[in-house]
């Protein structure tokens, strides 16, 4: 804008300078399906851009003007003038490092499996906050028109699929809640084939006499169908409804479908046994994820969401904040506790279908799924392979679902989807301090050679710090005394030594304790920073990170602050802004 003003002031003959705006997505393809994109007119057409288009856009201003016959526009003295209202800033629940890792591993998994597409989504089972959501193929929202529509499809939200064996959780929960079965209930599955209403069902192996828990571990279709017949239609349908199937989760992303769960009176003689194994209904990947979140949190159905809060663009204050709350209790805590060991055995036990999801030192529970693909009512020789898991079992913090469509190099969920889960979980451990401490206590972590430090040159410091922590390094900001280690400094590159862009100090694991002590000392010496010259928006963000409540007068850049730099941090401060 400054350059344009200079050119306008010079009045160069024949030179016409016109301004325009465009949205720039700093991280390219990262989280593209969550963010969405805009048209040239800045109208949202996908993702959060569409869902919160009105909040992001704000309100245009207007002013009474006159245009003379030489096409010169002048303001009308005393005319009406309405100032524009800035759109809100939107803060997502997505963590950039975890998102990048999930996208990398999903892309690798799709390539190795030779799948047509893949989708993966992770959630905090206690709050419903989406931690990461990825699709392959993907697209760059900076040039969305250059990509096919299939690349812009958010499969986790808009695709209806038959889930296969991942739905067996619902059957197991219904059986326990109805009192017709326990995990130890005996099932006669025979030699691997069984006829239900003149239609033959098969297991991959003949398991003979097994328990309900064993049927989960070995993914016995016959075992689950026998369990369903023992309890009848009502309990299975009611449990499926309680867990959100047949209705949208109402996630704050556009285009979500509800799936299809038919009422029991419309079922035929084979619907019950086949539905118990994940056929005869349509679900979304997000619905399966939400059901397993209920297993992780003790039976509560939570509301998935990707927006954490919306902030006033001028003051930085939150105008809306997500308040995590359960939708309803889907089943009892006792049922969750009774079933969790079986789903953990799916991963840990030899012969369990999810062994490829194992992570050394980390307790993982989950379930594989392999469902034949139907087109126009006919089943093809194509499959959708999936795995949904949670970790750590003793105090779950993550539920993650991975789905591959039409893989050519293997068709089972345990072969193509579970390894993706395992690699993601292994790399995510460092981003969850409590999980990392359980898996590898600080005193037990061996020395990390400097050669293993990933390159973070040019990254914003907050991203670089998170990226390094994800690889097992402790990171502190080597900063001025008033700058806290938790301060978010997006947009300031690591290599840049500006006053507020502190260089990163890599701390090997054996120095973690001393690093944390140094950080506490630095925080104790916090003082009021000099914010003059910074944008009001940036200054407000920094002050709020320091625990100071700012009051703003004006806009643009900070010209005065009520508390001088170097003074002890106040509880409140007044900033005066002035447009350049």
């Amino acid at each position: 804008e400054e350059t344009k003003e200079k050119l306008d002031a010079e009045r160069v003959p024949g030179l016409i300078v016109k301004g325009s705006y465009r949205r720039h997505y700093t991280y390219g393809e990262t989280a593209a399906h969550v963010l969405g994109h805009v048209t040239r007119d800045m109208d949202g057409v996908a993702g959060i851009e569409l869902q919160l288009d009105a909040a992001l856009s704000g309100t245009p201003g207007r002013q009474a003007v006159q245009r003379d016959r030489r096409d010169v526009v002048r303001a009308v003295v005393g005319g009406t003038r309405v100032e524009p209202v800035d759109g809100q800033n939107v803060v997502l629940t997505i963590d950039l490092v975890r998102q990048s890792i999930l996208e990398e591993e999903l892309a690798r998994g799709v390539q190795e499996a030779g799948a047509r597409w893949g989708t993966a989504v992770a959630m905090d089972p206690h709050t419903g906050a989406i931690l990461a959501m990825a699709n392959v193929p993907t697209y760059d929202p900076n040039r969305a028109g250059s990509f096919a529509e299939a690349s812009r499809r958010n499969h986790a939200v808009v695709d209806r699929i038959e889930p296969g064996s991942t739905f067996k959780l619902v059957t197991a929960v219904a059986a326990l809640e109805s009192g017709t079965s326990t995990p130890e209930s005996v099932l006669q599955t025979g030699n691997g084939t069984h006829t239900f209403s003149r239609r033959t069902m098969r297991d991959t192996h003949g398991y003979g006499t097994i328990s309900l828990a064993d049927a989960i571990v070995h993914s016995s279709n016959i075992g689950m169908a026998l369990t369903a017949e023992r309890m009848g239609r009502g309990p299975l349908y009611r449990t499926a409804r309680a867990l959100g199937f047949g209705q949208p989760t109402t996630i704050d992303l556009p285009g979500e479908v509800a799936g299809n769960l038919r009422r029991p009176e419309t079922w035929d003689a084979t619907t019950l046994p086949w539905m118990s194994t994940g056929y005869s209904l349509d679900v979304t990947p997000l619905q399966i994820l939400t059901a397993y979140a209920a297993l992780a949190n003790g039976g509560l159905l939570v509301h998935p969401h990707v927006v954490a809060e919306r902030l006033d663009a001028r003051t930085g204050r939150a105008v809306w904040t997500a308040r995590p709350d359960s939708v309803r209790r889907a089943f009892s805590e006792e049922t969750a506790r009774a079933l969790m060991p079986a789903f953990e055995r799916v991963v840990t036990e030899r012969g369990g279908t999810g062994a490829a999801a194992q992570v050394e030192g980390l307790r993982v529970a989950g379930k594989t799924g392999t469902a034949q693909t139907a087109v126009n009512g006919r089943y093809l020789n194509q499959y959708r392979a999936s795995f949904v898991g949670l970790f750590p079992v003793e105090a779950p913090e993550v539920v993650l679902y991975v789905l591959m469509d039409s893989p050519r190099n293997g068709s089972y969920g345990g072969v193509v989807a579970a390894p993706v889960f395992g690699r993601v979980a292994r790399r995510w451990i460092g981003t969850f301090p409590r999980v990392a401490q359980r898996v590898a206590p600080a005193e037990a972590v061996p020395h990390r050679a400097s050669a293993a430090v990933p390159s973070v040159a040019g990254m914003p410091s907050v991203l670089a710090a998170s990226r390094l922590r994800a690889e097992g390094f402790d990171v502190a900001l080597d900063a001025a005394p008033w700058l806290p280690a938790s301060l978010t400094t997006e947009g300031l590159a690591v290599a840049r030594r500006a006053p507020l862009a502190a260089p990163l100090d890599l701390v090997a694991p054996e120095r973690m304790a001393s690093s944390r002590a140094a950080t506490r000392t630095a925080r104790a010496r916090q003082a009021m920073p000099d914010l003059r010259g910074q944008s009001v928006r940036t200054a407000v963000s920094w002050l709020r990170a320091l625990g100071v409540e700012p009051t703003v007068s004006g806009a643009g850049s900070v010209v005065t602050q009520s508390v001088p730099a170097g003074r002890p941090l106040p509880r409140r401060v007044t900033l005066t802004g002035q447009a350049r």
Side-chain angles (χ1 to χ4, degrees):
E1 291 185 2
E2 291 178 357
T3 304
K4 179 185 181 299
E5 290 172 2
K6 291 179 181 178
L7 291 170
D8 288 341
E10 292 175 5
R11 299 185 179 276
V12 179
L15 177 64
I16 300 174
V17 182
K18 292 185 177 180
S20 64
Y21 294 90
R22 65 184 294 266
R23 180 82 86 205
H24 176 67
Y25 299 90
T26 308
Y27 301 106
E29 296 179 355
T30 305
H33 297 91
V34 176
L35 297 176
H37 58 278
V38 296
T39 65
R40 290 185 177 182
D41 296 326
M42 301 291 287
D43 296 323
V45 293
I48 289 297
E49 293 280 21
L50 173 59
Q51 186 77 10
L52 296 181
D53 184 59
L56 289 164
S57 298
T59 305
R62 63 182 186 273
Q63 181 178 4
V65 298
Q66 288 181 332
R67 186 189 304 272
D68 63 22
R69 57 187 174 184
R70 291 179 297 175
D71 207 31
V72 176
V73 177
R74 293 185 176 86
V76 176
V77 177
T80 302
R81 177 183 175 86
V82 177
E83 295 293 335
V85 178
D86 288 338
Q88 297 171 0
N89 290 331
V90 175
V91 180
L92 302 183
T93 60
I94 301 291
D95 177 274
L96 192 55
V97 171
R98 295 174 194 149
Q99 177 72 28
S100 300
I101 290 172
L102 184 63
E103 291 181 3
E104 289 172 12
E105 294 300 345
L106 180 64
R108 174 183 169 185
V110 168
Q111 182 179 25
E112 290 177 348
R116 188 170 62 175
W117 54 261
T119 188
V121 56
M123 183 167 67
D124 181 330
H126 303 285
T127 66
I130 298 297
L131 305 175
M133 180 181 287
N135 292 273
V136 174
T138 186
Y139 75 104
D140 185 347
N142 290 301
R143 46 190 187 92
S146 302
F147 293 81
E149 183 178 349
S151 298
R152 303 195 298 265
R153 189 176 183 87
N154 189 351
H155 298 281
V157 175
V158 305
D159 276 25
R160 301 196 317 177
I161 61 171
E162 286 185 302
S165 294
T166 54
F167 192 77
K168 289 174 181 175
L169 167 67
V170 182
T171 306
V173 167
L176 268 64
E177 289 286 291
S178 65
T180 58
S181 295
T182 69
E184 294 76 32
S185 294
V186 176
L187 302 165
Q188 302 292 341
T189 65
N191 62 359
T193 63
H194 194 282
T195 301
F196 296 92
S197 299
R198 292 182 293 183
R199 186 177 173 188
T200 301
M201 180 178 287
R202 291 179 172 82
D203 282 340
T204 54
H205 302 285
Y207 298 114
T209 302
I210 59 175
S211 66
L212 174 57
D214 292 332
I216 294 170
V217 174
H218 301 295
S219 200
S220 169
N221 293 327
I222 296 172
M224 300 309 293
L226 291 172
T227 300
E229 285 203 329
R230 184 179 296 172
M231 64 179 165
R233 299 180 179 186
L236 181 61
Y237 176 78
R238 288 194 296 271
T239 301
R241 287 290 294 180
L243 283 167
F245 294 100
Q247 51 202 309
T249 68
T250 67
I251 189 174
D252 42 4
L253 286 172
E256 184 187 16
V257 297
N260 182 29
L261 176 66
R262 292 182 291 135
R263 296 183 63 84
E265 56 266 27
T266 67
W267 298 3
D268 60 28
T270 62
T271 301
L272 177 62
W274 259 261
M275 184 179 291
S276 71
T277 66
Y279 288 93
S280 298
L281 80 161
D282 292 328
V283 307
T284 66
L286 186 62
Q287 288 174 332
I288 290 290
L289 181 77
T290 306
Y292 277 81
L295 174 65
N297 67 33
L300 295 174
L301 185 71
V302 294
H303 177 222
H305 59 279
V306 298
V307 177
E309 58 182 352
R310 303 203 303 265
L311 308 177
D312 183 279
R314 189 175 66 87
T315 65
R317 293 179 179 174
V319 297
W320 179 90
T321 301
R323 302 195 181 281
D325 191 12
S326 59
V327 178
R328 57 180 165 268
R329 175 161 290 282
F331 54 91
S332 68
E333 292 185 53
E334 292 77 11
T335 295
R337 283 196 298 268
L339 288 176
M340 186 67 81
F343 286 93
E344 186 175 10
R345 287 174 56 200
V346 170
V347 178
T348 60
E349 189 168 301
R350 186 172 183 177
T353 58
Q358 289 186 40
V359 178
E360 185 178 358
L362 182 67
R363 292 179 63 190
V364 175
K367 186 70 189 75
T368 55
T370 306
Q372 200 168 358
T373 304
V375 176
N376 297 325
R378 294 184 58 188
Y379 285 98
L380 310 178
N381 191 27
Q382 297 177 3
Y383 296 85
R384 290 193 176 106
S386 60
F387 181 85
V388 56
L390 56 94
F391 65 86
V393 169
E394 62 272 24
E397 292 196 37
V398 179
V399 182
L400 170 61
Y401 180 84
V402 180
L403 173 71
M404 303 285 186
D405 180 71
S406 304
R408 296 190 301 274
N409 304 324
S411 58
Y412 293 109
V415 175
V416 299
V420 175
F421 178 99
R423 291 195 295 264
V424 171
R426 196 171 294 111
R427 295 179 64 185
W428 273 18
I429 288 173
T431 68
F432 293 92
R434 287 178 294 183
V435 178
Q437 179 62 22
R438 282 196 200 94
V439 175
E443 61 273 12
V445 178
H447 175 69
R448 289 287 297 269
S450 59
V453 178
S455 174
V456 294
M459 290 185 183
S461 56
V462 65
L463 174 57
S466 297
R467 181 73 178 86
L468 290 164
R469 290 188 185 109
E471 296 298 330
F473 288 90
D474 195 30
V475 181
L477 289 172
D478 181 13
W482 52 265
L483 186 63
S486 62
L487 187 60
T488 299
T489 55
E490 274 102 339
L492 301 176
V494 174
R496 180 181 168 200
R497 290 179 176 268
L500 295 178
L504 287 171
D505 173 29
L506 297 186
V507 183
E510 66 271 14
R511 290 176 52 204
M512 283 183 180
S514 61
S515 169
R516 291 181 182 130
T519 298
R520 285 194 295 269
T521 301
R523 288 179 179 172
R525 298 197 305 263
Q526 288 177 8
M528 182 67 191
D530 186 354
L531 299 171
R532 292 172 299 177
Q534 301 293 333
S535 71
V536 169
R537 182 178 301 180
T538 300
V540 166
S541 298
W542 285 341
L543 288 170
R544 289 177 68 85
L546 289 165
V548 179
E549 187 59 38
T551 301
V552 178
S553 174
S557 300
V558 177
V559 291
T560 63
Q561 56 191 67
S562 61
V563 178
R567 295 279 181 86
L569 273 179
R571 290 189 176 182
R572 295 180 178 82
V573 66
T574 300
L575 304 178
T576 303
Q578 181 175 308
R580 294 179 180 178

